[in-house]
Amino acid sequence: IGEDTLLSRLYPYRSDLKSVEKFYIHGNQANFSDATPFHALLEYSDSTNHLQIIQDDALAVILYTSGTTAKPKGVMHSHHSLVETATTVAGVLQLPSDAPGEVFAIVVPLFHVGGFATMLLPALSVGAVALIVRQFEPVSVLDALVKHRVSCLFALPIMYNALVNVPEASKYDLSFLRFPVAGGDSVPIRLHDHFKKTFGIELCETCGMTEMA
């Protein structure tokens, strides 16, 4: 599943991807004759779709580590481990099993564990809105947080630093942002203080590994 701009890089190798049964595309389908429009996934019905029964320990996804101290490694996660991660995150955030009023803003890449397993999956598991920000630009992100009344945000410390340094950042009302979570690097005390002074809310600091999701 991907946007036309991303699949255009992958499609020349289509014939080599023997195990991929379907490509779903969001955007212009003109150059992808055998791809299925993304909206087809939204037209689910029991009479036309038959979901396979998948074992809990079956491989679901391979997520790559950051490669901080060596080359990035492919980490294999089962369906069970992803469900457990989504359930755990939702529990830590004290979300009910049905939370359509919650809005998760995803500003980090979905090919990393932070965006995929600790943001997208927990949001979907409780029926929350997953707001995917296509590109991180501080002013646009602040505008989106206010417009969509985002309640949960996961970002890198460098991203939070960019937000607090937007001119007149304090004019943005983020009082509904209950869980501004920072991870992926250490969070300096001065950034904690600056964020609290600017927006009136505390940063939540987290730490984890791709292997532990």
Side-chain angles (χ1 to χ4, degrees):
I1 300 176
E3 294 186 345
D4 51 358
T5 54
L6 295 177
L7 284 184
S8 62
R9 302 178 184 180
L10 181 66
Y11 232 62
Y13 309 99
R14 174 73 176 90
S15 60
D16 298 327
L17 305 175
K18 307 297 184 182
S19 63
V20 179
E21 298 178 3
K22 274 192 174 184
F23 282 85
Y24 289 92
I25 186 168
H26 181 271
N28 186 358
Q29 196 184 354
N31 298 321
F32 310 95
S33 58
D34 61 337
T36 303
F38 177 75
H39 64 74
L41 285 175
L42 307 180
E43 300 169 356
Y44 174 87
S45 68
D46 290 334
S47 60
T48 58
N49 294 273
H50 302 284
L51 300 179
Q52 296 182 0
I53 297 176
I54 298 178
Q55 299 299 317
D56 287 350
D57 60 355
L59 178 64
V61 66
I62 299 177
L63 297 171
Y64 283 83
T65 61
S66 61
T68 304
T69 58
K71 290 184 179 181
K73 300 177 290 295
V75 178
M76 299 185 294
H77 277 287
S78 67
H79 290 269
H80 176 73
S81 68
L82 294 180
V83 169
E84 286 297 306
T85 298
T87 302
T88 299
V89 172
V92 169
L93 299 180
Q94 299 180 336
L95 298 176
S97 58
D98 184 23
E102 300 291 341
V103 181
F104 285 55
I106 304 174
V107 299
V108 292
L110 288 172
F111 57 78
H112 281 165
V113 67
F116 179 68
T118 63
M119 286 295 289
L120 179 62
L121 295 186
L124 297 180
S125 73
V126 297
V129 174
L131 174 67
I132 300 176
V133 178
R134 190 169 187 174
Q135 183 175 356
F136 182 84
E137 195 287 316
V139 174
S140 297
V141 169
L142 287 174
D143 286 337
L145 296 179
V146 173
K147 178 181 178 180
H148 299 281
R149 298 185 65 82
V150 170
S151 52
C152 183
L153 170 68
F154 175 84
L156 301 175
I158 193 172
M159 293 175 165
Y160 282 113
N161 188 62
L163 295 182
V164 298
N165 282 293
V166 167
E168 299 183 327
S170 59
K171 73 178 182 180
Y172 292 89
D173 179 12
L174 302 186
S175 57
F176 41 80
L177 181 58
R178 304 199 315 281
F179 303 106
V181 182
D185 200 354
S186 59
V187 185
I189 294 297
R190 63 181 180 277
L191 179 55
H192 277 282
D193 295 339
H194 197 174
F195 192 84
K196 176 66 179 296
K197 181 179 179 181
T198 302
F199 300 115
I201 47 181
E202 297 276 1
L203 267 181
C204 305
E205 190 169 354
T206 186
C207 180
M209 297 187 296
T210 304
E211 294 87 344
M212 297 299 292

